[in-house]
Amino acid sequence: MNAVAELFGHPSDDRSVDWKSIVADQQCPFLGRKCYKVRKSDPQTSIGSCTVLHGRQRAPILICPARLLERRQVFTDCLHLLTAHEPGNELHVVPEVPVPGGSVDHFLLSARAREIKDFVGIELQTLDTTGTVWPERQRLLRRHGVADRNGMELSSKPFGMNWKHTAKTTLVQMLHKVETFEHLNKRLVLVLQDRLLEYMQRNFAFGHLRPAETGDAMHFHAYGVEVNAASSNRFSLRERLSTDAEGIAVGLGLRADPRVELSEIHDTLTSKIGPTTLFSPA
């Protein structure tokens, strides 16, 4: 059975919440602002789907990267990779930092008097779907007595999970970016669901990945779902693996050679840090 498991951060079967207000507010509790996933045909309407159930598997599958930001735990779990961090330094989380090969979702950095002492790149990756989840969302809201029947889209075509495309596209992007981090002697972390990592291990040459070693440039932090019938599902770190740029290339059979100087990264980060980027656990 395919279904929406969480909508705007709330379990879909939770009848104790005011669904009418939640849908009207369109707030993402993990970002602290309006959900950025909007309909192409109606940009004023946020979709709000965080996780879904698909097929026979009853464990929710993440389809929104913001869902991984719960409690900001993913940043705390990367603190040990700031090997040059010292007491007294400030911690910042800076979003969307450009590097060769694209941009990195977040930089966790250590700074003192606005001087960058160390940083870790953090990419968030969840599953892409084939088809649209919107009809299932609308059916869910109708069951809660919220959706307008005139706005219903009762398509019977189910959505699917695009495992192959998500995995390969993600790894190609990581290859382009991790060589930059390796050149700078820094670390890049891919945060993903454990089920996506398992798919990568089955379908790519990943036998050489090892239990995480701080010195490696490429790290995988895989999170699993803790299904809680009494409250919202929570995600916890299940596995940490690591490799280097060559290890990613071996898995894909591809190569890239992006280079950027450390001073360029430092200049970009320095221009972005301020009171709003200071890191503190939720």
Side-chain angles (χ1 to χ4, degrees), residues 127-255:
L127 260 294
D128 295 328
T129 61
T130 59
T132 176
V133 181
W134 181 260
E136 292 298 338
R137 173 201 192 270
Q138 294 296 85
R139 278 188 276 269
L140 164 65
L141 293 177
R142 186 176 183 178
R143 290 195 296 273
H144 285 298
V146 177
D148 179 0
R149 289 192 178 206
N150 294 326
M152 289 292 291
E153 294 181 19
L154 295 175
S155 170
S156 60
K157 186 176 181 180
F159 65 86
M161 307 310 302
N162 204 344
W163 294 94
K164 183 177 181 180
H165 179 266
T166 301
K168 186 167 185 179
T169 300
T170 299
L171 292 175
V172 170
Q173 292 175 349
M174 290 303 100
L175 175 61
H176 283 284
K177 295 170 185 177
V178 73
E179 288 200 347
T180 293
F181 281 79
E182 193 168 78
H183 172 63
L184 301 174
N185 194 27
K186 300 297 180 183
R187 312 292 173 257
L188 177 63
V189 181
L190 176 62
V191 176
L192 72 172
Q193 191 171 358
D194 53 357
R195 294 179 64 185
L196 179 54
L197 177 60
E198 290 165 3
Y199 178 88
M200 291 177 176
Q201 290 172 311
R202 290 195 306 269
N203 292 275
F204 296 89
F206 267 26
H208 55 284
L209 266 66
R210 50 184 169 261
E213 297 181 2
T214 303
D216 283 337
M218 183 75 235
H219 289 252
F220 293 80
H221 285 189
Y223 288 75
V225 182
E226 294 179 357
V227 179
N228 190 333
S231 61
S232 298
N233 298 328
R234 301 188 78 176
F235 293 84
S236 61
L237 185 61
R238 295 280 177 85
E239 187 173 16
R240 294 188 298 119
L241 301 173
S242 68
T243 186
D244 52 17
E246 184 178 358
I248 300 298
V250 167
L252 285 168
L254 300 172
R255 291 293 293 174

Side-chain angles (χ1 to χ4, degrees), residues 68-167:
L68 287 163
L69 295 176
E70 179 187 28
R71 310 188 319 276
R72 296 166 70 84
Q73 186 65 38
V74 294
F75 301 122
T76 300
D77 292 339
C78 293
L79 288 173
H80 67 289
L81 297 174
L82 291 172
T83 56
H85 176 69
E86 295 182 353
N89 290 8
E90 290 182 336
L91 294 170
H92 292 262
V93 175
V94 179
E96 296 297 328
V97 179
V99 299
S103 66
V104 175
D105 291 334
H106 299 275
F107 269 57
L108 173 65
L109 62 92
S110 173
R112 183 183 289 266
R114 295 187 61 82
E115 181 182 350
I116 309 300
K117 299 298 183 179
D118 203 357
F119 62 80
V120 177
I122 301 172
E123 288 274 65
L124 308 178
Q125 184 61 55
T126 52
L127 260 294
D128 295 328
T129 61
T130 59
T132 176
V133 181
W134 181 260
E136 292 298 338
R137 173 201 192 270
Q138 294 296 85
R139 278 188 276 269
L140 164 65
L141 293 177
R142 186 176 183 178
R143 290 195 296 273
H144 285 298
V146 177
D148 179 0
R149 289 192 178 206
N150 294 326
M152 289 292 291
E153 294 181 19
L154 295 175
S155 170
S156 60
K157 186 176 181 180
F159 65 86
M161 307 310 302
N162 204 344
W163 294 94
K164 183 177 181 180
H165 179 266
T166 301

